[in-house]
Amino acid sequence: KDVSKLTYYVKINILNTLSNRRAQSTVASTQADQDVTNRESYSSRKSRNASSSPKISIDFELTQEAYKSKDNLELLRSLVVFKLCSYDLLVDKNKELMDISKFVLGKKAFEQFMKMTFYGQFVAGEDHKSIKSLIQKNRAFGVGSVLDYSVEEDLTQEDAVTKEMDSCVSATEKEGMSKSVLVFFCSHLSMDHREKQYKAHQQFGDRRGGVTGARTYFYSDEAKCDQHMETFLKCIKASGGSSVDGFSAIKMTALGRPQFLLKFSEVLVKWKRFFSFLAAQQGRDGMEALEQRLELQPLQEFMTTLGATGDFHGWFTGEKQGSGTIDRLDWNSLIDDRIKISDLLVVPNLETGQLEPLLNKFTEEEEKQMKRMLQRLDVLANHAEEHSVRLMVDAEQTYFQPAISTLTVEMQRIYNRGKPVIFNTYQCYLKEAYDIVTMDVELSRREGWFFGAKLVRGAYMYQERSRAEEIGYEDPINPDYETTNMMYHKCLDYILDEIVLNRNANVMVASHNEDTVKHTLRRMNELGLTPTENKVYFGQLLGMCDQISFPLGQAGFPVYKYVPYGPVNEVIPYLSRRAQENRGFMKGSQREREMLWKELKRRLASGQVFYRPQPEPGL
């Protein structure tokens, strides 16, 4: 076929699992002139808030405040663990050393040793009952919890690759059947490299490679996904029972076959790129995502010249075509619900203008797998809402993330109507992070729901870079750490401005970077945002950066520890990652160890040998 004559529109339909819930929601589009008015009043509102709110300053150098929740043995344990994590040999061979220790000491003695060292530092306990005391203790010192059951499969690399390749290839592909081909661009635009990004590659089948800061799930079968869902449900219940303002974290790759996420992500990215291509045809390339607009009449004419006979102009109705133009959010509004699962992905036939299935080679069982993934998401969101727990959806690799982010936004549109229940995670090491954040904020503003975000730098940098270079597509990661820092602060500033403007945005600053925390505090003071508004949260891992978490909590800021739990022998993979992560962390800065030593020596010098933590009244 002549590629220049084949430009397809895609209509992506979220399954009826979510549509039944969304029917309860009413879309409230924001008028353009009202947006202008709101933006014009932003400066005066910012000035008024800043002048009326008390300025808050936190000194992160005060060791007595930073470690008042820890007894002397806990300080000593932190010093020992952090020191051990700075030795390359111990970290590189940590798995082998733990296996030897288990063999020599025996299971019971090994578990006791781990509880006195690494396990005790980074893991809260074995089950939801045993972790309650630590959660309540942290809460007494102003620090909340994000619960995460951290048991992982201890797979060999060969097993991991086998599982990944099997779960990311459809049954029809395995049988050698031809696949549907989707072409969005004219022939001068190469799609080969872009398509490769959203295909499984055996060399990168073990998604754990080069990743120290995130847990990895591999698909076995639907029963295993149900088990993961039950685990997440227990986490949500435990979080709701332990505190009144808890979070719980989930990963979408734990809830279904990743093949669906790969294909969905591929179509979403092509759909976005098609918009950018059409914007370039109208001389609007090089703009930020929200500034790009398409004029409908030229769009119709352009599509007609390519051989399309359907009424594309008529696809955009009501307020969207009032100005004769559409933006990327209007374009994305073609994502809506259909009744049949076979209509998940459809395109218009260029001859008839009628919608036809894009992926018509899914088997009945594969369609059921897609539906069950979304049903599990719906069950988890309902459970979180019922237990007054906020649900954070973790970010994953870029070839899964477009689908994960889109499905998370779908849940936000349903469950975030009265308050922020669902939080999306944004990886600021991505070049397109700012565009993604601004688009989602704008969508929440137009539709009138609460925007909830967790900002992270990202956990897959080395893997993503290596994969892009080896397979041959553009590196999605910012070129260096400083650029990532700038992106993080840019996204954060945008959300903070939105909080001042509309009060419907919420953000968790998930960072161990003290400069980022100080930047957030400075901006909050400038904007007049106070801790008691509960719009800005802070998050760090259990066992790390207590000198940041606890001073924030004691100053009244909503701050949370990411709290892993699980049986000792089943969280070994998690502990192995923590050791690797701390190696880089501790080599980069000796400050935390110096502060720990300083506080321990201060207590011993003042006779506080048997120091017992005592929370201040009111925390």
Side-chain angles (χ1 to χ4, degrees):
K1 295 182 180 180
D2 183 358
V3 177
S4 65
K5 295 293 184 182
L6 293 176
T7 305
Y8 285 154
Y9 258 91
V10 169
K11 185 172 183 179
I12 302 168
N13 306 298
I14 302 304
L15 307 178
N16 59 319
T17 304
L18 295 180
S19 66
N20 292 335
R21 295 282 303 185
R22 193 195 296 171
Q24 303 170 11
S25 303
T26 302
V27 173
S29 299
T30 304
Q31 297 292 334
D33 57 348
Q34 184 62 46
D35 279 342
V36 172
T37 302
N38 287 342
R39 290 294 176 185
E40 287 175 347
S41 66
Y42 166 72
S43 296
S44 59
R45 194 179 308 179
K46 169 185 169 182
S47 177
R48 183 172 63 253
N49 289 343
S51 61
S52 62
S53 301
K55 301 295 186 291
I56 296 179
S57 176
I58 298 177
D59 187 349
F60 294 107
E61 302 290 336
L62 298 178
T63 61
Q64 188 171 352
E65 293 299 315
Y67 301 114
K68 69 191 314 181
S69 66
K70 308 293 182 184
D71 62 32
N72 291 345
L73 286 178
E74 289 174 306
L75 295 183
L76 188 60
R77 180 186 65 196
S78 296
L79 280 165
V80 171
V81 169
F82 289 156
K83 182 63 177 177
L84 291 174
C85 287
S86 68
Y87 293 116
D88 287 336
L89 179 62
L90 293 179
V91 174
D92 292 336
K93 302 294 183 181
N94 75 84
K95 184 66 167 60
E96 293 87 344
L97 290 171
M98 283 191 279
D99 289 340
I100 293 172
S101 300
K102 188 189 302 184
F103 177 77
V104 172
L105 297 175
K107 180 180 178 182
K108 189 172 182 179
F110 172 75
E111 290 184 357
Q112 187 60 36
F113 170 75
M114 292 299 291
K115 288 180 179 180
M116 293 170 60
T117 53
F118 293 95
Y119 182 94
Q121 182 71 19
F122 300 118
V123 183
E126 299 204 39
D127 53 42
H128 67 276
K129 293 181 179 178
S130 63
I131 67 176
K132 275 190 175 181
S133 59
L134 184 139
I135 291 173
Q136 291 169 356
K137 173 187 172 184
N138 284 352
R139 182 73 272 172
F141 287 90
V143 176
S145 299
V146 180
L147 297 191
D148 179 40
Y149 189 67
S150 296
V151 171
E152 303 178 22
E153 282 188 284
D154 195 7
L155 297 174
T156 65
Q157 183 175 1
E158 182 181 358
D159 287 341
V161 171
T162 300
K163 281 178 175 284
E164 183 72 358
M165 297 306 295
D166 185 63
S167 64
C168 288
V169 179
S170 70
T172 54
E173 289 172 328
K174 292 175 188 175
E175 295 168 5
M177 296 176 66
S178 62
K179 300 192 303 179
S180 299
V181 179
L182 179 63
V183 181
F184 286 102
F185 295 74
C186 293
S187 57
H188 69 279
L189 292 175
S190 172
M191 290 297 295
D192 291 341
H193 289 174
R194 288 167 179 163
E195 290 177 353
K196 288 179 182 178
Q197 182 176 0
Y198 299 96
K199 300 294 184 290
H201 293 268
Q202 187 164 353
Q203 181 180 350
F204 299 94
D206 186 353
R207 287 183 278 115
R208 300 170 300 184
V211 178
T212 62
R215 181 171 31 157
T216 303
Y217 289 93
F218 293 95
Y219 180 85
S220 296
D221 50 40
E222 292 299 296
K224 190 69 173 179
C225 293
D226 286 334
Q227 290 178 20
H228 292 153
M229 182 187 71
E230 291 298 326
T231 298
F232 291 147
L233 288 172
K234 290 178 182 177
C235 270
I236 292 170
K237 185 176 180 180
S239 182
S242 301
S243 62
V244 295
D245 56 355
F247 282 89
S248 191
I250 66 170
K251 273 187 178 290
M252 213 167 280
T253 50
L255 299 174
R257 190 181 181 95
Q259 173 210 356
F260 165 57
L261 297 176
L262 277 174
K263 289 194 173 184
F264 195 15
S265 292
E266 181 180 9
V267 174
L268 287 168
V269 169
K270 287 177 178 178
W271 186 231
K272 181 184 72 174
R273 285 172 176 157
F274 186 34
F275 180 90
S276 297
F277 170 72
L278 293 173
Q281 299 304 303
Q282 296 188 10
R284 298 169 189 260
D285 55 337
M287 299 179 179
E288 291 188 346
L290 281 174
E291 295 176 353
Q292 285 186 323
R293 300 188 69 86
L294 297 180
E295 295 184 22
L296 286 177
Q297 193 58 44
L299 171 63
Q300 177 68 60
E301 294 170 0
F302 179 75
M303 298 300 294
T304 301
T305 62
L306 292 177
T309 58
D311 181 15
F312 298 99
H313 187 289
W315 281 13
F316 299 96
T317 58
E319 296 178 2
K320 292 184 180 66
Q321 67 175 357
S323 62
T325 64
I326 59 170
D327 63 13
R328 190 173 288 180
L329 287 177
D330 299 325
W331 182 257
N332 290 343
S333 70
L334 293 180
I335 301 174
D336 65 8
D337 301 280
R338 297 280 289 195
I339 295 176
K340 296 181 180 179
I341 192 165
S342 59
D343 291 329
L344 175 66
L345 302 173
V346 294
V347 293
N349 183 298
L350 292 180
E351 299 297 327
T352 66
Q354 300 299 309
L355 294 176
E356 295 181 351
L358 169 64
L359 297 174
N360 54 10
K361 297 298 183 181
F362 279 136
T363 66
E364 182 179 351
E365 178 57 30
E366 287 168 341
E367 289 183 349
K368 289 179 179 178
Q369 290 170 356
M370 295 181 220
K371 184 173 183 179
R372 285 197 288 264
M373 174 185 277
L374 296 185
Q375 286 174 332
R376 292 180 187 113
L377 285 172
D378 206 35
V379 168
L380 292 171
N382 269 308
H383 205 64
E385 188 175 48
E386 290 169 2
H387 286 79
S388 298
V389 172
R390 289 158 293 185
L391 197 63
M392 291 198 309
V393 181
D394 286 344
E396 304 191 44
Q397 285 89 348
T398 52
Y399 42 92
F400 293 137
Q401 192 54 38
I404 291 171
S405 185
T406 297
L407 294 174
T408 303
V409 168
E410 287 297 312
M411 289 197 295
Q412 289 181 317
R413 298 170 80 179
I414 298 165
Y415 294 96
N416 285 14
R417 288 288 164 178
K419 60 182 179 179
V421 175
I422 309 298
F423 279 65
N424 206 351
T425 301
Y426 297 89
Q427 302 171 105
C428 294
Y429 65 7
L430 296 179
K431 295 175 182 176
E432 61 178 4
Y434 182 75
D435 283 348
I436 298 172
V437 168
T438 56
M439 292 283 290
D440 288 352
V441 168
E442 176 64 19
L443 181 64
S444 71
R445 186 187 302 133
R446 292 184 186 184
E447 296 186 343
W449 44 269
F450 284 82
F451 175 80
K454 178 176 77 169
L455 293 185
V456 300
R457 280 172 171 77
Y460 306 97
M461 182 179 71
Y462 299 112
Q463 184 187 101
E464 293 279 11
R465 285 200 194 286
S466 177
R467 191 177 190 271
E469 181 179 3
E470 182 66 26
I471 296 173
Y473 56 87
E474 182 184 352
D475 185 355
I477 309 298
N478 287 318
D480 51 48
Y481 186 75
E482 183 55 38
T483 307
T484 294
N485 277 344
M486 293 172 62
M487 179 66 78
Y488 193 106
H489 292 177
K490 184 178 182 181
C491 294
L492 175 60
D493 288 344
Y494 186 87
I495 297 173
L496 293 176
D497 288 343
E498 176 65 15
I499 293 174
V500 174
L501 187 64
N502 289 315
R503 299 289 165 173
N504 275 357
N506 303 263
V507 62
M508 173 173 279
V509 183
S511 176
H512 294 155
N513 188 306
E514 189 173 313
D515 289 336
T516 292
V517 173
K518 289 180 177 178
H519 173 85
T520 307
L521 297 178
R522 182 170 59 253
R523 288 286 291 135
M524 289 180 70
N525 279 332
E526 291 172 359
L527 298 170
L529 294 173
T530 63
T532 54
E533 293 180 79
N534 285 321
K535 294 291 185 182
V536 182
Y537 317 93
F538 296 88
Q540 290 85 36
L541 290 168
L542 182 71
M544 297 175 65
C545 292
D546 287 345
Q547 81 279 8
I548 293 177
S549 306
F550 286 91
L552 283 170
Q554 289 154 29
F557 286 88
V559 58
Y560 294 83
K561 285 291 192 183
Y562 204 93
V563 177
Y565 67 99
V568 175
N569 285 290
E570 296 181 46
V571 298
I572 295 298
Y574 174 84
L575 291 172
S576 178
R577 288 205 318 273
R578 288 286 76 80
Q580 294 175 36
E581 186 173 11
N582 270 291
R583 169 173 56 184
F585 178 77
M586 294 311 298
K587 281 190 172 183
S589 172
Q590 298 295 318
R591 183 164 173 270
E592 185 164 3
R593 278 194 296 166
E594 291 172 357
M595 291 183 68
L596 286 163
W597 268 121
K598 181 179 178 181
E599 176 58 14
L600 188 58
K601 288 187 290 186
R602 185 198 68 78
R603 291 182 185 178
L604 296 177
S606 62
Q608 294 178 301
V609 178
F610 302 104
Y611 174 83
R612 295 176 62 85
Q614 294 293 332
E616 295 179 6
L619 282 178

